[in-house]
Amino acid sequence: MRDRPLRKLENPGLLLLNGDSQEKEHTLVIIGLSEAGAAMARRAVRALGIPFGELPLDDAVREFDPAARDQAVRALNAHHPRWALQLPDGWTQLPELCSRLRHPRFMIVFEDILGVSRQQDEPGTGTPFGGMRRALDRHRQLLDLLSTCQRPALLASHEKAMGDPAAFVDALVDFCGLPPDPARRESALATIAVASSPGAEQAPPQGWRARLRRLTRRRAAAPQDTNPLVFLHIPKTAGTSLRQLLRERLSVEELIFLDPPLNADRQAEVARRLPRIRALLGHLYFGIDEQLGFHGDYVTFLRDPVARVVSFWKHQQTHPHAEYHDLVEKGVSLREFVLSGQTHQTDNFMTRILVGTRAPGMLDGSLNQIDDERYLQMALDNVQQRFRFVGFVEHFDESVQELFRTLGWPLSKAPAKKLNVLGSGSTPLDEATLAAIRKHNALDIALYQRLLQASPWQDKADATAVTGTP
């Protein structure tokens, strides 16, 4: 590793162990004593362009399934010369992982012991000494495990890294043997600047409501337009209205509309126009930026899941060229259609879009029914780490105004009226149909509820809004 980042400060909070081997092919294992430190490193690594191995690898490690783990590792090695993984408490399997991963190296983020104990202890449970002892034991256990691996390791202080992001990012770039890339470096710096901005850590990091409530404030404090914006248009969530607003705000060169699948010519066009693109909009999904070779900030609008499914079905009824219009003509009911599992559009589709490329089978039709809450957690993780804004169709005007404030864009007139959003409440649903929709969209209902309750419009959130009560 070059000396520059490590000697920049008298005490930079960075330490290199076990030499500085520069294997071009390696696996970076991120270890954090708290989620905050691990998340900081994970965001920076993603921004630097290193792909992550998650499902099914994390399942295999969690469940101590060596065969599945090794199969996942082989697949990742075949596709990526270098990749990263970070698993909660995954360091307890450090010696075993050392023997299975290709040239492993470790990015370890240490935390202030008092801070870690305060994050882990529940309020009102007495003195923090118990939490501090547990945190100290975890530090000791980690050091003992690390000493058995004898592989390169970069140790970093979370607090120091937040105070001097440039030293941390430069050290990480050198440690991973990455070529100089000013754009990716700036993206990585921006992810740390966002987390360290005023007001970003005023509440404990655990608990979705507390974290996501700060989403808009934290993103608004970041440098404007650091990365291209990726607007995920989930069908039947006022995407046509948003398209009109973006056309009024951005020039033809700054805005590009995309709908997968993207052929080679379309991908080449995106690459050619990328230096001038400020926003992408289309029926996209989380992870599309990495597939296209850039680091983006995500934006999306969500809708009451029951209302979204009903609106999707009404579109099939009223548009003769819709994909499933022939089923309507044959007399298939909405309940029968949902239960048939013919399309993932009626099965937790919003969760699928927000999980995107982090899990196989979300969008390719191979998993037309999902109910595992791990996917919900992955979607929430993506929102908390990578989304600049989440709006709601039921609060469209307020959402648009807040979106423009967050992006620092002037809104000279009232938001556009929602276009092409079919009403979903005019025809009451029978209980059997309602039950089928709820069952096949339980993850979407939980996703919508959690994000809405954590939004600026939580006081307006109707607890019965996503029950679809006739």
Side-chain angles (χ1 to χ4, degrees), residues 187-315:
S187 294
L189 289 173
T191 67
I192 301 176
V194 165
S196 62
S197 61
E201 299 297 333
Q202 294 179 359
Q206 74 276 11
W208 278 107
R209 182 176 299 184
R211 282 187 288 175
L212 296 175
R213 195 176 296 164
R214 299 193 308 277
L215 176 72
T216 300
R217 292 202 306 271
R218 185 172 65 248
R219 291 297 185 184
Q224 298 301 313
D225 296 334
T226 301
N227 303 310
L229 298 167
V230 182
F231 287 81
L232 305 183
H233 172 203
I234 300 172
K236 316 316 298 178
T237 60
T240 304
S241 303
L242 187 58
R243 180 183 295 245
Q244 177 178 311
L245 286 167
L246 291 178
R247 275 179 169 161
E248 294 171 355
R249 178 65 183 83
L250 301 175
S251 69
V252 174
E253 287 297 310
E254 294 174 323
L255 176 63
I256 188 169
F257 299 103
L258 294 175
D259 279 322
L262 304 179
N263 59 31
D265 290 341
R266 194 66 166 139
Q267 293 183 44
E269 179 189 0
V270 174
R272 176 179 58 81
R273 293 179 53 185
L274 191 58
R276 298 182 298 277
I277 292 176
R278 295 179 64 191
L280 302 88
L281 171 67
H283 293 144
L284 305 173
Y285 45 82
F286 182 84
I288 185 67
D289 58 335
E290 292 184 0
Q291 290 183 342
L292 293 175
F294 71 97
H295 183 78
D297 290 337
Y298 285 89
V299 175
T300 197
F301 275 67
L302 302 180
R303 186 178 184 183
D304 176 323
V306 173
R308 200 199 71 80
V309 170
V310 173
S311 182
F312 173 81
W313 183 241
K314 287 188 174 181
H315 180 87

Side-chain angles (χ1 to χ4, degrees), residues 39 62 86 135 146 200 280 320 400 426:
R62 288 176 191 271
Q86 183 264 317
L146 182 62
L280 302 88
V400 169
S426 58

Side-chain angles (χ1 to χ4, degrees), residues 61-62 76 78 87 139 185 194 238 316 341 395 413:
V61 174
R62 288 176 191 271
L76 287 161
L87 302 172
H139 278 75
R185 180 180 183 274
V194 165
Q316 307 303 311
H395 304 282
K413 60 181 181 180

Side-chain angles (χ1 to χ4, degrees), residues 1 18 70 81 213 239 304 374 424:
M1 181 184 297
N18 301 328
D70 292 348
R213 195 176 296 164
D304 176 323
R374 289 174 299 177
S424 57

Side-chain angles (χ1 to χ4, degrees), residues 257-460:
F257 299 103
L258 294 175
D259 279 322
L262 304 179
N263 59 31
D265 290 341
R266 194 66 166 139
Q267 293 183 44
E269 179 189 0
V270 174
R272 176 179 58 81
R273 293 179 53 185
L274 191 58
R276 298 182 298 277
I277 292 176
R278 295 179 64 191
L280 302 88
L281 171 67
H283 293 144
L284 305 173
Y285 45 82
F286 182 84
I288 185 67
D289 58 335
E290 292 184 0
Q291 290 183 342
L292 293 175
F294 71 97
H295 183 78
D297 290 337
Y298 285 89
V299 175
T300 197
F301 275 67
L302 302 180
R303 186 178 184 183
D304 176 323
V306 173
R308 200 199 71 80
V309 170
V310 173
S311 182
F312 173 81
W313 183 241
K314 287 188 174 181
H315 180 87
Q316 307 303 311
Q317 292 175 315
T318 57
H319 289 67
H321 299 293
E323 184 175 4
Y324 301 104
H325 183 74
D326 60 329
L327 297 181
V328 175
E329 293 292 299
K330 294 177 181 178
V332 173
S333 68
L334 172 56
R335 173 179 173 274
E336 292 169 333
F337 182 70
V338 170
L339 293 176
S340 72
Q342 293 201 40
T343 173
H344 46 235
Q345 284 273 2
T346 59
D347 188 277
N348 294 304
F349 190 67
M350 296 193 299
T351 300
R352 292 172 184 270
I353 293 294
L354 300 192
V355 170
T357 58
R358 282 193 61 190
M362 289 295 96
L363 303 169
D364 63 7
S366 60
L367 286 178
N368 269 355
Q369 295 184 17
I370 60 171
D371 58 6
D372 195 324
E373 290 197 1
R374 289 174 299 177
Y375 298 128
L376 170 63
Q377 189 68 39
M378 292 173 71
L380 291 170
D381 282 341
N382 288 342
V383 169
Q384 202 266 337
Q385 295 160 18
R386 296 287 308 281
F387 276 67
R388 194 136 174 203
F389 184 82
V390 175
F392 299 88
V393 171
E394 288 75 16
H395 304 282
F396 184 77
D397 290 354
E398 302 99 316
S399 293
V400 169
Q401 292 169 6
E402 189 65 32
L403 170 63
F404 274 52
R405 279 195 295 269
T406 298
L407 300 179
W409 294 353
L411 186 62
S412 57
K413 60 181 181 180
K417 181 180 179 181
K418 294 189 292 294
L419 303 173
N420 197 29
V421 178
L422 295 174
S424 57
S426 58
T427 304
L429 298 176
D430 60 86
E431 286 296 335
T433 300
L434 184 56
I437 296 175
R438 288 173 180 164
K439 178 181 178 181
H440 284 260
N441 293 273
L443 300 184
D444 272 9
I445 289 173
L447 176 77
Y448 181 90
Q449 287 176 329
R450 293 194 194 187
L451 293 179
L452 181 58
Q453 290 168 2
S455 75
W457 309 284
Q458 59 173 318
D459 294 337
K460 298 182 180 181

